[in-house]
Amino acid sequence: MKQVVSVSLGSSRRDSDVEVELAGHRLHIRRIGTDGDPAKALELIERLDGTVDCFGLGGGDRYLVAGNRRYEMKAMARLARAARRTPVVDGSGFKETLEPHLLRRLVETGQLDVRGRETLLVSAVDRPGMARVLPELGARVTYGDLIFALGVSIPLHSPRVISFLGMLVLPVLCRMPMSVVYPTGDKQDSSVAKYNKYFHRAQVVAGDFHFIRRYLPPHMDGRTVITNTITADDVTLLRAAGISRLITTTPAFGERSFGTNVMEAVLVAISNRRPEELSGQDYLELLQRLGLSPRVIDL
């Protein structure tokens, strides 16, 4: 049985442990939260290194993308380097290549309609694939990078502006602790009533769930949410807020759709290859061979 472990800086309250079978491949998938403690995450990776088939890194991104440039978060890179034998992925391959493909397919099959609709993408540098494909599909996109990551209430509407700001800001941000720019640890269990006007303007809210969850207003009747890393409790929360449709770009295993880092780790583990040997086309073929598809729930 393949062993996949997601080591996350997120809350341990969101831990999961499941066994699944995909096209004849049996997998044991664990998500282990370290409550925002990088030292604990480092110790866990060092202890499990060589005993599992692939690590996912969660609770933050190793790579952020603006324009054609990729920036590496030093804190997450330090964790990745702790694994000397087991490959490590952070979900960025899934986000860059598979998510745009899956969104196009959802539109083609009539499960998603974003044409002409106001769409809030909470972070473009975290979701370069979504940032690229949503305008191509006709969505009117507001990018929330300054709002949700930096607390600066300025909406962005142009990928060119994001690329320019990324060149200025990301080299500095990438040297900061993950907790400065992203909800880690117990921040993933609490919410803050801010930025309601950006949510209320949107008919579709997309991107990282921990940004969405932390700032989601109590009343969002009729909206669609496109995200992942969703537990059964999260579905209850979104239903209570009036969300009408939930789309997770990662499939459900049991009652949970894991984060992109877990899905990328699953694909790497099944491929029996190193992540650097896999292209976007390889990931796509693996996804199709395993019959994995997004989850669409009418709430």
Side-chain angles (χ1 to χ4, degrees):
M1 182 182 295
K2 299 287 186 181
Q3 302 287 331
V4 168
V5 174
S6 171
V7 177
S8 174
L9 291 175
S11 169
S12 58
R13 289 166 54 90
R14 302 177 63 82
D15 283 356
S16 289
D17 188 323
V18 299
E19 292 184 10
V20 299
E21 183 166 333
L22 301 173
H25 300 277
R26 295 187 65 215
L27 294 106
H28 183 194
I29 303 170
R30 287 175 284 167
R31 183 273 189 193
I32 306 174
T34 57
D35 299 315
D37 186 343
K40 188 175 179 180
L42 192 69
E43 184 277 329
L44 189 59
I45 291 171
E46 289 176 339
R47 178 160 50 86
L48 295 177
D49 186 26
T51 68
V52 301
D53 293 281
C54 193
F55 284 118
L57 275 186
D61 293 300
R62 180 175 179 183
Y63 297 107
L64 299 173
V65 179
N68 295 323
R69 298 191 181 192
R70 171 183 275 207
Y71 301 84
E72 187 177 41
M73 291 292 296
K74 303 304 180 189
M76 300 301 277
R78 198 171 302 122
L79 294 179
R81 285 197 298 270
R84 299 182 181 277
R85 290 174 289 175
T86 298
V88 180
V89 295
D90 73 331
S92 57
F94 190 97
K95 293 173 185 176
E96 287 190 58
T97 61
L98 295 181
E99 278 194 332
H101 167 80
L102 294 172
L103 290 186
R104 285 188 185 281
R105 196 166 73 185
L106 286 166
V107 169
E108 290 167 1
T109 56
Q111 298 177 88
L112 173 65
D113 180 11
V114 295
R115 181 168 294 279
R117 304 182 80 184
E118 294 290 342
T119 299
L120 172 63
L121 177 58
V122 290
S123 175
V125 297
D126 163 62
R127 279 312 207 276
M130 279 192 184
R132 184 175 66 250
V133 78
L134 284 170
E136 293 174 4
L137 295 172
R140 301 170 62 180
V141 185
T142 296
Y143 303 99
D145 295 71
L146 293 179
I147 302 167
F148 300 103
L150 299 181
V152 179
S153 187
I154 299 177
L156 303 175
H157 301 284
S158 166
R160 288 187 178 181
V161 173
I162 293 171
S163 297
F164 175 72
L165 291 175
M167 286 191 295
L168 297 177
V169 175
L170 288 179
V172 178
L173 282 186
C174 284
R175 297 182 178 279
M176 295 184 175
M178 202 67 227
S179 58
V180 173
V181 295
Y182 187 74
T184 60
D186 58 8
K187 287 183 181 177
Q188 295 185 355
D189 298 322
S190 61
S191 61
V192 179
K194 295 173 70 175
Y195 314 128
N196 287 6
K197 62 182 178 183
Y198 301 113
F199 280 97
H200 287 151
R201 285 175 191 164
Q203 297 163 285
V204 178
V205 178
D208 182 271
F209 182 68
H210 293 299
F211 277 136
I212 295 172
R213 187 191 189 286
R214 184 157 177 78
Y215 299 108
L216 186 73
H219 303 293
M220 288 287 288
D221 294 348
R223 270 71 166 197
T224 293
V225 168
I226 307 170
T227 187
N228 49 52
T229 318
I230 294 289
T231 66
D233 288 343
D234 297 329
V235 173
T236 300
L237 180 147
L238 293 172
R239 184 178 287 118
I243 299 296
S244 63
R245 175 166 283 195
L246 168 64
I247 297 174
T248 64
T249 57
T250 52
F253 295 145
E255 293 187 331
R256 168 114 191 213
S257 65
F258 287 95
T260 55
N261 73 89
V262 175
M263 279 311 305
E264 193 170 334
V266 165
L267 297 178
V268 169
I270 288 177
S271 75
N272 292 316
R273 295 161 66 184
R274 301 285 301 186
E276 56 270 24
E277 298 171 347
L278 294 168
S279 66
Q281 184 62 33
D282 291 326
Y283 280 123
L284 180 57
E285 289 174 1
L286 279 166
L287 200 71
Q288 292 172 336
R289 177 154 59 89
L290 298 175
L292 298 175
S293 59
R295 177 170 62 159
V296 180
I297 307 175
D298 288 322
L299 302 178

mmCIF file of all heavy atoms in Angstrom, residues 84-117:
data_model
loop_
_atom_site.group_PDB
_atom_site.id
_atom_site.type_symbol
_atom_site.label_atom_id
_atom_site.label_comp_id
_atom_site.label_asym_id
_atom_site.label_seq_id
_atom_site.Cartn_x
_atom_site.Cartn_y
_atom_site.Cartn_z
ATOM 1 N N ARG A 84 15.162 13.898 2.895
ATOM 2 C CA ARG A 84 16.315 13.575 2.056
ATOM 3 C C ARG A 84 16.031 12.396 1.127
ATOM 4 O O ARG A 84 16.707 12.223 0.124
ATOM 5 C CB ARG A 84 17.528 13.277 2.942
ATOM 6 C CG ARG A 84 17.928 14.466 3.801
ATOM 7 C CD ARG A 84 19.159 14.178 4.624
ATOM 8 N NE ARG A 84 19.506 15.317 5.452
ATOM 9 C CZ ARG A 84 20.207 16.366 5.037
ATOM 10 N NH1 ARG A 84 20.644 16.387 3.793
ATOM 11 N NH2 ARG A 84 20.478 17.359 5.845
ATOM 12 N N ARG A 85 15.050 11.547 1.477
ATOM 13 C CA ARG A 85 14.771 10.362 0.657
ATOM 14 C C ARG A 85 13.373 10.390 0.041
ATOM 15 O O ARG A 85 13.174 9.979 -1.092
ATOM 16 C CB ARG A 85 14.945 9.102 1.515
ATOM 17 C CG ARG A 85 16.395 8.810 1.886
ATOM 18 C CD ARG A 85 16.506 7.651 2.853
ATOM 19 N NE ARG A 85 16.019 8.015 4.184
ATOM 20 C CZ ARG A 85 15.916 7.172 5.193
ATOM 21 N NH1 ARG A 85 16.225 5.904 5.012
ATOM 22 N NH2 ARG A 85 15.488 7.587 6.375
ATOM 23 N N THR A 86 12.384 10.854 0.797
ATOM 24 C CA THR A 86 11.007 10.878 0.294
ATOM 25 C C THR A 86 10.755 12.157 -0.492
ATOM 26 O O THR A 86 11.098 13.248 -0.014
ATOM 27 C CB THR A 86 10.016 10.811 1.473
ATOM 28 O OG1 THR A 86 10.203 9.574 2.162
ATOM 29 C CG2 THR A 86 8.591 10.887 0.983
ATOM 30 N N PRO A 87 10.158 12.071 -1.689
ATOM 31 C CA PRO A 87 9.838 13.296 -2.439
ATOM 32 C C PRO A 87 8.796 14.147 -1.717
ATOM 33 O O PRO A 87 7.949 13.627 -0.982
ATOM 34 C CB PRO A 87 9.305 12.768 -3.777
ATOM 35 C CG PRO A 87 8.929 11.363 -3.540
ATOM 36 C CD PRO A 87 9.792 10.846 -2.430
ATOM 37 N N VAL A 88 8.881 15.459 -1.951
ATOM 38 C CA VAL A 88 7.983 16.422 -1.307
ATOM 39 C C VAL A 88 7.326 17.288 -2.378
ATOM 40 O O VAL A 88 8.018 17.797 -3.266
ATOM 41 C CB VAL A 88 8.756 17.341 -0.336
ATOM 42 C CG1 VAL A 88 7.810 18.334 0.329
ATOM 43 C CG2 VAL A 88 9.494 16.524 0.708
ATOM 44 N N VAL A 89 6.010 17.467 -2.279
ATOM 45 C CA VAL A 89 5.298 18.377 -3.189
ATOM 46 C C VAL A 89 4.414 19.303 -2.369
ATOM 47 O O VAL A 89 4.031 18.978 -1.243
ATOM 48 C CB VAL A 89 4.436 17.598 -4.216
ATOM 49 C CG1 VAL A 89 5.325 16.773 -5.140
ATOM 50 C CG2 VAL A 89 3.428 16.700 -3.513
ATOM 51 N N ASP A 90 4.100 20.464 -2.946
ATOM 52 C CA ASP A 90 3.276 21.437 -2.201
ATOM 53 C C ASP A 90 1.953 21.740 -2.893
ATOM 54 O O ASP A 90 1.202 22.607 -2.441
ATOM 55 C CB ASP A 90 4.050 22.735 -1.988
ATOM 56 C CG ASP A 90 4.169 23.545 -3.270
ATOM 57 O OD1 ASP A 90 4.179 22.931 -4.360
ATOM 58 O OD2 ASP A 90 4.242 24.785 -3.177
ATOM 59 N N GLY A 91 1.665 21.025 -3.993
ATOM 60 C CA GLY A 91 0.395 21.262 -4.702
ATOM 61 C C GLY A 91 0.504 22.282 -5.809
ATOM 62 O O GLY A 91 -0.462 22.505 -6.540
ATOM 63 N N SER A 92 1.664 22.912 -5.972
ATOM 64 C CA SER A 92 1.768 23.969 -6.984
ATOM 65 C C SER A 92 1.653 23.389 -8.398
ATOM 66 O O SER A 92 1.145 24.057 -9.305
ATOM 67 C CB SER A 92 3.078 24.743 -6.818
ATOM 68 O OG SER A 92 4.202 23.884 -6.896
ATOM 69 N N GLY A 93 2.113 22.146 -8.610
ATOM 70 C CA GLY A 93 1.959 21.519 -9.918
ATOM 71 C C GLY A 93 0.494 21.301 -10.255
ATOM 72 O O GLY A 93 0.056 21.541 -11.388
ATOM 73 N N PHE A 94 -0.271 20.870 -9.263
ATOM 74 C CA PHE A 94 -1.715 20.672 -9.455
ATOM 75 C C PHE A 94 -2.390 22.004 -9.769
ATOM 76 O O PHE A 94 -3.224 22.109 -10.671
ATOM 77 C CB PHE A 94 -2.310 20.062 -8.182
ATOM 78 C CG PHE A 94 -3.728 19.590 -8.317
ATOM 79 C CD1 PHE A 94 -4.003 18.255 -8.566
ATOM 80 C CD2 PHE A 94 -4.787 20.480 -8.200
ATOM 81 C CE1 PHE A 94 -5.319 17.814 -8.687
ATOM 82 C CE2 PHE A 94 -6.097 20.055 -8.313
ATOM 83 C CZ PHE A 94 -6.370 18.710 -8.560
ATOM 84 N N LYS A 95 -2.011 23.042 -9.025
ATOM 85 C CA LYS A 95 -2.656 24.347 -9.209
ATOM 86 C C LYS A 95 -2.347 24.948 -10.574
ATOM 87 O O LYS A 95 -3.206 25.573 -11.197
ATOM 88 C CB LYS A 95 -2.192 25.306 -8.112
ATOM 89 C CG LYS A 95 -2.667 24.928 -6.721
ATOM 90 C CD LYS A 95 -2.004 25.834 -5.696
ATOM 91 C CE LYS A 95 -2.341 25.419 -4.271
ATOM 92 N NZ LYS A 95 -1.622 26.233 -3.269
ATOM 93 N N GLU A 96 -1.122 24.778 -11.044
ATOM 94 C CA GLU A 96 -0.720 25.434 -12.285
ATOM 95 C C GLU A 96 -1.242 24.713 -13.517
ATOM 96 O O GLU A 96 -1.569 25.356 -14.519
ATOM 97 C CB GLU A 96 0.812 25.513 -12.361
ATOM 98 C CG GLU A 96 1.402 26.544 -11.420
ATOM 99 C CD GLU A 96 2.883 26.770 -11.703
ATOM 100 O OE1 GLU A 96 3.221 27.142 -12.837
ATOM 101 O OE2 GLU A 96 3.686 26.566 -10.785
ATOM 102 N N THR A 97 -1.314 23.385 -13.461
ATOM 103 C CA THR A 97 -1.653 22.647 -14.685
ATOM 104 C C THR A 97 -3.028 21.986 -14.650
ATOM 105 O O THR A 97 -3.759 22.021 -15.638
ATOM 106 C CB THR A 97 -0.598 21.562 -14.955
ATOM 107 O OG1 THR A 97 -0.572 20.645 -13.856
ATOM 108 C CG2 THR A 97 0.787 22.164 -15.114
ATOM 109 N N LEU A 98 -3.392 21.377 -13.523
ATOM 110 C CA LEU A 98 -4.631 20.605 -13.490
ATOM 111 C C LEU A 98 -5.859 21.457 -13.181
ATOM 112 O O LEU A 98 -6.926 21.228 -13.748
ATOM 113 C CB LEU A 98 -4.504 19.463 -12.471
ATOM 114 C CG LEU A 98 -3.463 18.403 -12.833
ATOM 115 C CD1 LEU A 98 -3.421 17.303 -11.791
ATOM 116 C CD2 LEU A 98 -3.758 17.806 -14.207
ATOM 117 N N GLU A 99 -5.727 22.438 -12.269
ATOM 118 C CA GLU A 99 -6.921 23.219 -11.916
ATOM 119 C C GLU A 99 -7.513 23.953 -13.125
ATOM 120 O O GLU A 99 -8.739 23.927 -13.303
ATOM 121 C CB GLU A 99 -6.619 24.189 -10.771
ATOM 122 C CG GLU A 99 -6.687 23.491 -9.413
ATOM 123 C CD GLU A 99 -6.737 24.433 -8.242
ATOM 124 O OE1 GLU A 99 -6.224 25.553 -8.351
ATOM 125 O OE2 GLU A 99 -7.297 24.032 -7.206
ATOM 126 N N PRO A 100 -6.691 24.625 -13.976
ATOM 127 C CA PRO A 100 -7.326 25.277 -15.129
ATOM 128 C C PRO A 100 -7.998 24.285 -16.066
ATOM 129 O O PRO A 100 -9.076 24.567 -16.609
ATOM 130 C CB PRO A 100 -6.155 26.007 -15.808
ATOM 131 C CG PRO A 100 -4.920 25.444 -15.230
ATOM 132 C CD PRO A 100 -5.274 24.945 -13.869
ATOM 133 N N HIS A 101 -7.386 23.125 -16.237
ATOM 134 C CA HIS A 101 -8.011 22.087 -17.080
ATOM 135 C C HIS A 101 -9.350 21.658 -16.501
ATOM 136 O O HIS A 101 -10.346 21.521 -17.233
ATOM 137 C CB HIS A 101 -7.070 20.888 -17.180
ATOM 138 C CG HIS A 101 -7.719 19.670 -17.751
ATOM 139 N ND1 HIS A 101 -7.908 19.496 -19.106
ATOM 140 C CD2 HIS A 101 -8.253 18.575 -17.138
ATOM 141 C CE1 HIS A 101 -8.521 18.347 -19.309
ATOM 142 N NE2 HIS A 101 -8.740 17.761 -18.142
ATOM 143 N N LEU A 102 -9.391 21.464 -15.187
ATOM 144 C CA LEU A 102 -10.627 21.004 -14.546
ATOM 145 C C LEU A 102 -11.717 22.075 -14.611
ATOM 146 O O LEU A 102 -12.895 21.761 -14.814
ATOM 147 C CB LEU A 102 -10.339 20.624 -13.089
ATOM 148 C CG LEU A 102 -9.413 19.404 -12.914
ATOM 149 C CD1 LEU A 102 -9.030 19.223 -11.454
ATOM 150 C CD2 LEU A 102 -10.081 18.144 -13.450
ATOM 151 N N LEU A 103 -11.345 23.349 -14.456
ATOM 152 C CA LEU A 103 -12.349 24.413 -14.551
ATOM 153 C C LEU A 103 -12.928 24.490 -15.964
ATOM 154 O O LEU A 103 -14.140 24.680 -16.138
ATOM 155 C CB LEU A 103 -11.747 25.750 -14.146
ATOM 156 C CG LEU A 103 -11.402 25.925 -12.664
ATOM 157 C CD1 LEU A 103 -10.952 27.348 -12.380
ATOM 158 C CD2 LEU A 103 -12.576 25.572 -11.770
ATOM 159 N N ARG A 104 -12.070 24.346 -16.969
ATOM 160 C CA ARG A 104 -12.588 24.346 -18.349
ATOM 161 C C ARG A 104 -13.574 23.200 -18.550
ATOM 162 O O ARG A 104 -14.624 23.369 -19.177
ATOM 163 C CB ARG A 104 -11.424 24.198 -19.336
ATOM 164 C CG ARG A 104 -10.594 25.442 -19.521
ATOM 165 C CD ARG A 104 -9.596 25.272 -20.664
ATOM 166 N NE ARG A 104 -8.728 26.420 -20.772
ATOM 167 C CZ ARG A 104 -9.088 27.562 -21.354
ATOM 168 N NH1 ARG A 104 -10.309 27.675 -21.867
ATOM 169 N NH2 ARG A 104 -8.250 28.567 -21.420
ATOM 170 N N ARG A 105 -13.229 22.034 -18.031
ATOM 171 C CA ARG A 105 -14.115 20.884 -18.203
ATOM 172 C C ARG A 105 -15.441 21.087 -17.493
ATOM 173 O O ARG A 105 -16.499 20.690 -17.996
ATOM 174 C CB ARG A 105 -13.423 19.617 -17.695
ATOM 175 C CG ARG A 105 -14.080 18.348 -18.185
ATOM 176 C CD ARG A 105 -13.207 17.159 -17.961
ATOM 177 N NE ARG A 105 -13.160 16.791 -16.548
ATOM 178 C CZ ARG A 105 -12.393 15.835 -16.045
ATOM 179 N NH1 ARG A 105 -11.595 15.164 -16.844
ATOM 180 N NH2 ARG A 105 -12.407 15.545 -14.779
ATOM 181 N N LEU A 106 -15.405 21.721 -16.321
ATOM 182 C CA LEU A 106 -16.644 21.994 -15.591
ATOM 183 C C LEU A 106 -17.545 22.937 -16.386
ATOM 184 O O LEU A 106 -18.771 22.775 -16.405
ATOM 185 C CB LEU A 106 -16.323 22.604 -14.225
ATOM 186 C CG LEU A 106 -15.758 21.634 -13.180
ATOM 187 C CD1 LEU A 106 -15.161 22.403 -12.011
ATOM 188 C CD2 LEU A 106 -16.857 20.691 -12.685
ATOM 189 N N VAL A 107 -16.946 23.931 -17.049
ATOM 190 C CA VAL A 107 -17.728 24.851 -17.876
ATOM 191 C C VAL A 107 -18.298 24.117 -19.084
ATOM 192 O O VAL A 107 -19.473 24.264 -19.440
ATOM 193 C CB VAL A 107 -16.848 26.048 -18.310
ATOM 194 C CG1 VAL A 107 -17.567 26.876 -19.388
ATOM 195 C CG2 VAL A 107 -16.517 26.929 -17.096
ATOM 196 N N GLU A 108 -17.462 23.313 -19.724
ATOM 197 C CA GLU A 108 -17.908 22.574 -20.929
ATOM 198 C C GLU A 108 -19.050 21.618 -20.623
ATOM 199 O O GLU A 108 -19.916 21.385 -21.470
ATOM 200 C CB GLU A 108 -16.724 21.802 -21.511
ATOM 201 C CG GLU A 108 -15.666 22.696 -22.140
ATOM 202 C CD GLU A 108 -14.369 21.950 -22.423
ATOM 203 O OE1 GLU A 108 -14.294 20.733 -22.139
ATOM 204 O OE2 GLU A 108 -13.426 22.589 -22.914
ATOM 205 N N THR A 109 -19.068 21.063 -19.430
ATOM 206 C CA THR A 109 -20.118 20.108 -19.064
ATOM 207 C C THR A 109 -21.312 20.784 -18.375
ATOM 208 O O THR A 109 -22.229 20.094 -17.925
ATOM 209 C CB THR A 109 -19.552 19.028 -18.124
ATOM 210 O OG1 THR A 109 -18.965 19.664 -16.975
ATOM 211 C CG2 THR A 109 -18.511 18.182 -18.831
ATOM 212 N N GLY A 110 -21.288 22.124 -18.303
ATOM 213 C CA GLY A 110 -22.419 22.852 -17.750
ATOM 214 C C GLY A 110 -22.529 22.821 -16.239
ATOM 215 O O GLY A 110 -23.552 23.225 -15.677
ATOM 216 N N GLN A 111 -21.479 22.377 -15.574
ATOM 217 C CA GLN A 111 -21.521 22.339 -14.104
ATOM 218 C C GLN A 111 -21.059 23.654 -13.472
ATOM 219 O O GLN A 111 -21.204 23.845 -12.267
ATOM 220 C CB GLN A 111 -20.644 21.189 -13.598
ATOM 221 C CG GLN A 111 -21.126 19.826 -14.057
ATOM 222 C CD GLN A 111 -20.188 18.721 -13.589
ATOM 223 O OE1 GLN A 111 -20.324 18.183 -12.497
ATOM 224 N NE2 GLN A 111 -19.226 18.383 -14.414
ATOM 225 N N LEU A 112 -20.488 24.527 -14.278
ATOM 226 C CA LEU A 112 -19.995 25.810 -13.790
ATOM 227 C C LEU A 112 -20.245 26.855 -14.861
ATOM 228 O O LEU A 112 -19.992 26.605 -16.045
ATOM 229 C CB LEU A 112 -18.493 25.718 -13.487
ATOM 230 C CG LEU A 112 -17.776 27.030 -13.132
ATOM 231 C CD1 LEU A 112 -18.312 27.581 -11.806
ATOM 232 C CD2 LEU A 112 -16.264 26.819 -13.052
ATOM 233 N N ASP A 113 -20.750 28.004 -14.430
ATOM 234 C CA ASP A 113 -20.982 29.111 -15.352
ATOM 235 C C ASP A 113 -20.396 30.381 -14.730
ATOM 236 O O ASP A 113 -20.895 30.869 -13.714
ATOM 237 C CB ASP A 113 -22.481 29.289 -15.606
ATOM 238 C CG ASP A 113 -22.758 30.437 -16.559
ATOM 239 O OD1 ASP A 113 -21.796 30.946 -17.175
ATOM 240 O OD2 ASP A 113 -23.929 30.840 -16.681
ATOM 241 N N VAL A 114 -19.326 30.880 -15.319
ATOM 242 C CA VAL A 114 -18.703 32.092 -14.785
ATOM 243 C C VAL A 114 -18.766 33.244 -15.788
ATOM 244 O O VAL A 114 -18.318 34.344 -15.470
ATOM 245 C CB VAL A 114 -17.234 31.842 -14.388
ATOM 246 C CG1 VAL A 114 -17.129 30.864 -13.232
ATOM 247 C CG2 VAL A 114 -16.410 31.365 -15.585
ATOM 248 N N ARG A 115 -19.321 33.012 -16.968
ATOM 249 C CA ARG A 115 -19.313 34.052 -17.997
ATOM 250 C C ARG A 115 -20.095 35.286 -17.522
ATOM 251 O O ARG A 115 -21.270 35.198 -17.174
ATOM 252 C CB ARG A 115 -19.930 33.526 -19.297
ATOM 253 C CG ARG A 115 -19.932 34.553 -20.439
ATOM 254 C CD ARG A 115 -20.271 33.924 -21.750
ATOM 255 N NE ARG A 115 -19.241 32.992 -22.167
ATOM 256 C CZ ARG A 115 -18.098 33.350 -22.759
ATOM 257 N NH1 ARG A 115 -17.868 34.635 -23.014
ATOM 258 N NH2 ARG A 115 -17.212 32.457 -23.083
ATOM 259 N N GLY A 116 -19.403 36.413 -17.488
ATOM 260 C CA GLY A 116 -20.030 37.675 -17.091
ATOM 261 C C GLY A 116 -20.295 37.795 -15.603
ATOM 262 O O GLY A 116 -20.896 38.778 -15.165
ATOM 263 N N ARG A 117 -19.848 36.823 -14.819
ATOM 264 C CA ARG A 117 -20.164 36.829 -13.392
ATOM 265 C C ARG A 117 -19.017 37.425 -12.585
ATOM 266 O O ARG A 117 -17.839 37.170 -12.852
ATOM 267 C CB ARG A 117 -20.466 35.405 -12.911
ATOM 268 C CG ARG A 117 -21.582 34.752 -13.696
ATOM 269 C CD ARG A 117 -21.891 33.374 -13.159
ATOM 270 N NE ARG A 117 -22.728 33.442 -11.970
ATOM 271 C CZ ARG A 117 -23.095 32.395 -11.257
ATOM 272 N NH1 ARG A 117 -22.672 31.196 -11.603
ATOM 273 N NH2 ARG A 117 -23.861 32.534 -10.207
#
